[in-house]
Amino acid sequence: MRASYLFTSESVSEGHPDKVSDQISDAILDAFIEKDVKLGIADDSLVNTRLGCETLCTTNKIVIAGEGRGQLFRDIHGVSVVDRELISQIARDVVKDIGYDQNGFSYHGADVEVLLHGQSPDIAMGVDAKKKKSGEEEGAGDQGMMFGYACTESEVYQKGSFMPAPIFFAHSEGAGGEAPQRLARRSAARRQEPGHGEICRRQASRLHQGRGLDPAQ
């Protein structure tokens, strides 16, 4: 093994297409879970939210696709149909909040295509809890592979960060602009909203239990 090597990391701000897509998917999941919270739907209910939502952003185009179940779906002639107008407005609001209003990509000019549909019976069967002698066992749905670790490389620069040096410095460089500051202010404001703690708890529960579909569980 070499004694020294080059290891780099990339960090992008909220305006990067990947981050825009992530924030749209997150906001859509928030809307589903917020509806559960308002209606008092429990996590172990047979109608609680499950959502796998992928978003793609390109020149004046936003595509939202995936499948799930929840209170923003309606049953029409036996087919689960999502509220496309609401989903489109959520996407536009996210893009507006980030600040995109220009030629090539704007919150009001982008074409939003919503392709969310009801959760397939095969996926639902794999995710539903199965009662066995040893207790409940639950399928995890779609999964992704990732790696990470906590270390002390960044501790000399910021106590309690426990991050590898490359990603720590990449994040630090990216945090110099106004966008991350605006994101921090918005996150602080959202934490004050009624029910936000319950929404976060349910998101964390889905991530921990593997409930729902990848990526936005």
Side-chain angles (χ1 to χ4, degrees):
M1 184 175 179
R2 294 175 57 182
S4 63
Y5 57 91
L6 181 65
F7 186 92
T8 64
S9 292
E10 177 189 30
S11 179
V12 296
S13 68
E14 64 173 340
H16 187 281
D18 290 349
K19 292 288 189 181
V20 175
S21 297
D22 287 345
Q23 290 171 85
I24 291 174
S25 293
D26 286 348
I28 292 169
L29 176 61
D30 282 351
F32 271 87
I33 297 179
E34 183 177 8
K35 194 73 172 180
D36 282 3
V37 173
K38 286 182 178 179
L39 295 176
I41 296 174
D43 277 345
D44 57 358
S45 166
L46 296 178
V47 294
N48 72 316
T49 290
R50 290 178 178 171
L51 187 66
C53 181
E54 293 273 8
T55 301
L56 177 151
C57 294
T58 186
T59 304
N60 270 335
K61 181 77 173 182
I62 301 171
V63 180
I64 301 165
E67 63 179 64
R69 75 180 189 192
Q71 302 308 304
L72 298 185
F73 283 97
R74 294 178 296 164
D75 189 82
I76 300 179
H77 303 301
V79 178
S80 187
V81 179
V82 76
D83 187 339
R84 288 183 172 85
E85 290 187 3
L86 175 60
I87 300 300
S88 297
Q89 189 57 52
I90 291 172
R92 294 188 190 280
D93 289 345
V94 170
V95 174
K96 181 180 181 181
D97 195 41
I98 292 171
Y100 273 116
D101 184 13
Q102 62 196 48
N103 291 333
F105 197 69
S106 68
Y107 69 91
H108 58 83
D111 176 32
V112 182
E113 187 174 5
V114 179
L115 303 174
L116 287 172
H117 59 82
Q119 186 179 48
S120 73
D122 291 335
I123 293 292
M125 182 174 61
V127 176
D128 287 339
K130 304 294 184 182
K131 289 186 178 294
K132 297 187 176 182
K133 292 182 179 180
S134 59
E136 287 193 353
E137 293 186 5
E138 185 173 328
D142 294 343
Q143 291 294 293
M145 297 295 292
M146 58 212 73
F147 79 95
Y149 58 93
C151 64
T152 58
E153 291 177 3
S154 63
E155 287 302 282
V156 67
Y157 306 103
Q158 182 178 328
K159 291 295 184 183
S161 54
F162 297 109
M163 296 292 288
I167 194 62
F168 174 83
F169 290 120
H171 286 333
S172 298
E173 288 295 318
E178 183 177 354
Q181 297 170 8
R182 184 169 68 250
L183 182 62
R185 290 197 298 270
R186 184 167 69 249
S187 298
R190 291 189 63 197
R191 285 195 293 271
Q192 303 303 316
E193 294 176 359
H196 181 68
E198 177 67 9
I199 291 172
C200 290
R201 185 192 67 77
R202 294 194 180 204
Q203 285 180 322
S205 174
R206 279 158 177 74
L207 288 170
H208 177 68
Q209 297 175 8
R211 174 173 297 162
L213 309 175
D214 181 67
Q217 299 177 329

